[in-house]
Amino acid sequence: MHFLDQAKIFIKSGDGGPGAVSFRREKYIEYGGPDGGNGGKGGDVVFEAVAGLNTLIDFRYTQHFKARRGTPGAGRDRTGAGGDDLVIEVPVGTQILADDDERTLLADLTRAGERIVFLRGGDGGRGNASYKSSTNRAPRQHGPGWPGEEMWVWLRLKLLADAGLVGLPNAGKSTFINAVTNAQAKVGAYAFTTTRPQLGVVSHKGREFVIADIPGLIEGAADGAGIGDRFLGHIERCRVLLHLVDANDEDVATSYRIVRDELEAYGAGLTDKPVIVALNKVDTLDDELIAALSAELAEESGKPVMALSGASGAGVEAILDKLLEAIDHPEPGSDEREDASGDWSPI
């Protein structure tokens, strides 16, 4: 299945049905009178977040969505049937944005089963029976029904994960997520083997949490270099970031700083999130060199550095312990998604 995290669609709620103009014709009703019923209400446009979806690819092939209009009223005071609501199913984590220069946020669906009535259908028109009065005994006017609402909107998917992986291309992120989950991310000896975000579920010490891997960042990603920074939105909701640095880089401190600068340029509070710094691919190095590189990286980051190898599994358990600790005990103000009960989780 192809991954698509942005789509532009046209939505329209249903028009209200027109009211009826009708008069009674029963044999024993001497004066008859108006009996035209009201029109039915048009269908609403409803967005629903459903579990099991992680892409907006369906909206590449279908861009127009229109709810059904209400049925016209009829004689004998029969009100027309309301139009069926149009329910648009989207992945959990989908944002609905206005089609303007600022991409104004209109709605954010962050929980499975969450539904919002986004566009309300038009009300049905009045039948001529409702216009009857003491001075207007045989009205012939009726309401045509109110039109529905319509607009173009952007859908943007921000995947929900507890932890996010960041680093330069070939920092070993895909190898790590393959080692701790069943994600089966592509691994290769060249840059940008990861071209789309990957999600995996980690099972560790009787607990489960979701980890997200995004394409690697290079210097200038905020200005569009490489794959750019468009996929950083998928880690905006993470509680903790795992920053992997390749131990084989010429300067591990510079490698760390390049990624941090791109996160800062992107904004959205990514540099304020708790981060675990790890020196990856240490299976090919001796202890003395690992200690020296870790000290250099710690001096640059100002944080303790953990050593691991996604390929051999060395240090992976300790990393998962740290991630689980950060997820269970987030820093104050670091997780805007947390509700009053404090037990939010994407799984």
Side-chain angles (χ1 to χ4, degrees), residues 148-338:
E149 302 174 311
E150 62 182 51
M151 64 188 306
W152 285 91
V153 296
W154 282 90
L155 303 181
R156 183 183 181 190
L157 174 61
K158 291 184 178 180
L159 297 175
L160 295 180
D162 295 297
L165 298 178
V166 296
L168 291 174
N170 269 7
K173 302 187 299 300
S174 296
T175 301
F176 177 82
I177 197 173
N178 286 344
V180 299
T181 73
N182 292 324
Q184 297 181 346
K186 183 178 180 180
V187 177
Y190 56 91
F192 298 116
T193 53
T194 300
T195 58
R196 60 185 180 89
Q198 298 274 357
L199 284 181
V201 179
V202 178
S203 297
H204 182 63
K205 293 186 175 179
R207 292 286 310 281
E208 289 186 343
F209 63 92
V210 178
I211 192 167
D213 174 25
I214 64 170
L217 300 171
I218 64 173
E219 189 172 4
D223 299 320
I227 295 180
D229 63 358
R230 59 165 295 189
F231 291 121
L232 284 178
H234 296 291
I235 59 172
E236 285 184 23
R237 306 178 194 267
C238 294
R239 293 180 175 179
V240 59
L241 300 180
L242 174 58
H243 189 157
L244 297 181
V245 179
D246 189 347
N248 298 306
D249 288 347
E250 293 183 4
D251 188 340
V252 292
T254 300
S255 298
Y256 171 84
R257 178 49 49 194
I258 288 173
V259 174
R260 294 298 293 181
D261 287 345
E262 296 305 321
L263 296 180
E264 185 175 357
Y266 178 83
L270 291 185
T271 54
D272 299 326
K273 290 184 177 294
V275 60
I276 298 172
V277 182
L279 189 68
N280 196 15
K281 304 182 182 180
V282 299
D283 52 306
T284 60
L285 308 178
D286 57 37
D287 293 341
E288 183 178 354
L289 185 53
I290 293 173
L293 293 175
S294 297
E296 182 181 346
L297 189 54
E299 182 179 359
E300 175 64 29
S301 65
K303 298 181 178 296
V305 176
M306 304 184 69
L308 80 149
S309 170
S312 68
V316 170
E317 289 291 314
I319 290 289
L320 295 181
D321 289 342
K322 276 290 186 180
L323 289 175
L324 198 56
E325 180 182 352
I327 292 169
D328 287 341
H329 305 287
E331 296 179 2
S334 65
D335 190 359
E336 297 178 354
R337 303 163 311 174
E338 191 171 7

Side-chain angles (χ1 to χ4, degrees), residues 12-14 41-45 117-123 147-149:
K12 183 182 186 305
S13 58
K41 176 183 172 295
D44 299 332
V45 174
V117 178
F118 195 76
L119 295 183
R120 187 179 182 277
D123 291 328
E149 302 174 311

